[in-house]
Amino acid sequence: MKKLVLTGAAGRLGTILRGPLSKMCDALVSSDIVDGIAELLPNETYLRADLSDRAAMMDLLKGADMVVHFGAIGDEASFDDILRSNIVGAYNVWEAAHQNGLSRVVYASSIHAVGMHPKTESIGVDAPHRPDTYYGLAKCFAEDLGRMFWDKRGLEAVCLRILSCAPVGNARALGSWLSDGDLVHLVERAIDTPVTGFSVIYGVSANDRCPVDNSGAAFLGYRPRDNAEQFADRILAESGPHDPTDPGQMCHGGPFASIELGQGAKSLLNIPDED
Ligand SMILES: NC(=O)c1ccc[n+]([C@@H]2O[C@H](COP(=O)([O-])OP(=O)(O)OC[C@H]3O[C@@H](n4cnc5c(N)ncnc54)[C@H](O)[C@@H]3O)[C@@H](O)[C@H]2O)c1
């Protein structure tokens, strides 16, 4: 691949992906809204661009083969903020990808697109949208956008419904954890699988307590290796009492399922600092 574009490059997951992605292409163009990123790799350039600026997205994707679209507000926020960065931003990326003749968008979707499904039901990649927040609603929009651009314009999309890619800090994460290594493997498969059409896959490690079913996306060859069970004794010993009436504990979306719309939920996830 000649040119690969990564949005959200300054973010937590973008930072994990820059190195591995740079090995898959001649030129990696990393982009974000921040002024710059530290220590560019030898074949990497940085372009500051706001996702909500369509002309900037057109420039960013010029001559690219694929885009790995991870830029977004990564938490629940006001509808207006989500509209600008996550909904209009997604439209601009797909439209620019189409107009520049890219073959595929690899998209960071989220479990929050289906977050109100109860966890007592294992959901597959064909589960109907059931968002838990404006944030999740924007992920539904982008997935539908990806399907429509595939159906109408032949632009492929792989939507990675990531559960939680962060150090394991709570009981929910024993099922929802996606390790950094498995994230990289997932994105590599989303890029190097020859034909994907429009597809959806959950971004989750091989956890004993995994609450979702990826068998409908087996063709992508994603075979996670890590398992959060190694943290279970410590996490369960530290966990508070279980409340089966709390949607935050009963639904796939976790705390996002119980917060008020428009209010951030990430602080409730008890994610420990990485050391
Ligand atoms: N971390 C997780 O567990 C998780 C789970 C599900 C989905 N995701 C998705 O993965 C992606 C990356 O997540 P993350 O944890 O790295 O989040 P993050 O907040 O660390 O990174 C997101 C990046 O997007 C950039 N951004 C926000 N608005 C922008 C705009 N208008 N224009 C340009 N750039 C903008 C931010 O500056 C930031 O660097 C996001 O799309 C998020 O929704 C993450």
Side-chain angles (χ1 to χ4, degrees), residues 48-264:
R48 182 187 181 281
D50 186 334
L51 293 162
S52 68
D53 179 344
R54 193 164 311 154
M57 288 303 111
M58 284 298 296
D59 278 352
L60 177 65
L61 298 194
K62 210 164 275 169
D65 300 289
M66 290 189 196
V67 55
V68 177
H69 178 34
F70 271 55
I73 295 174
D75 193 1
E76 175 63 333
S78 73
F79 181 75
D80 288 341
D81 287 347
I82 293 287
L83 179 65
R84 193 176 153 279
S85 290
N86 296 17
I87 295 180
V88 174
Y91 173 74
N92 289 342
V93 168
W94 257 274
E95 185 61 36
H98 166 64
Q99 290 196 27
N100 281 300
L102 275 68
S103 62
R104 187 177 301 168
V105 179
V106 174
Y107 175 58
S109 186
S110 167
I111 188 67
H112 300 294
V114 289
M116 292 310 293
H117 286 284
K119 262 167 64 166
T120 45
E121 291 167 20
S122 171
I123 50 174
V125 296
D126 56 354
H129 284 161
R130 200 166 169 182
D132 52 26
T133 43
Y134 296 135
Y135 168 79
L137 186 65
K139 297 298 187 190
C140 296
F141 170 82
E143 288 190 3
D144 283 352
L145 183 73
R147 182 184 287 278
M148 187 178 74
F149 270 64
W150 164 244
D151 286 341
K152 303 277 289 195
R153 293 174 157 178
L155 173 59
E156 290 190 315
V158 184
C159 297
L160 315 173
R161 277 189 198 153
I162 298 166
L163 276 72
S164 50
C165 188
V168 177
N170 55 57
R172 173 175 176 264
L174 295 176
S176 64
W177 185 51
L178 173 65
S179 71
D180 293 2
D182 285 336
L183 167 72
V184 170
H185 167 54
L186 177 64
V187 175
E188 285 172 349
R189 281 296 99 92
I191 291 172
D192 70 11
T193 296
V195 174
T196 64
F198 170 82
S199 46
V200 170
I201 184 165
Y202 291 101
V204 65
S205 283
N207 305 322
D208 287 0
R209 302 173 203 237
C210 173
V212 294
D213 175 10
N214 259 337
S215 56
F219 74 95
L220 283 169
Y222 170 59
R223 301 290 178 267
R225 295 178 191 93
D226 293 317
N227 187 337
E229 206 55 24
Q230 61 187 296
F231 308 111
D233 287 349
R234 172 175 60 80
I235 292 291
L236 293 176
E238 291 168 359
S239 295
H242 180 65
D243 177 2
T245 66
D246 174 10
Q249 297 188 30
M250 291 306 290
C251 294
H252 282 277
F256 282 60
S258 58
I259 53 153
E260 283 298 320
L261 292 174
Q263 288 184 4

Side-chain angles (χ1 to χ4, degrees), residues 2-27:
K2 289 198 181 86
K3 174 175 166 180
L4 182 61
V5 175
L6 170 66
T7 69
R12 270 191 347 97
L13 304 195
T15 301
I16 296 166
L17 290 172
R18 285 171 49 214
L21 291 184
S22 76
K23 298 195 178 95
M24 299 183 84
C25 58
D26 296 341

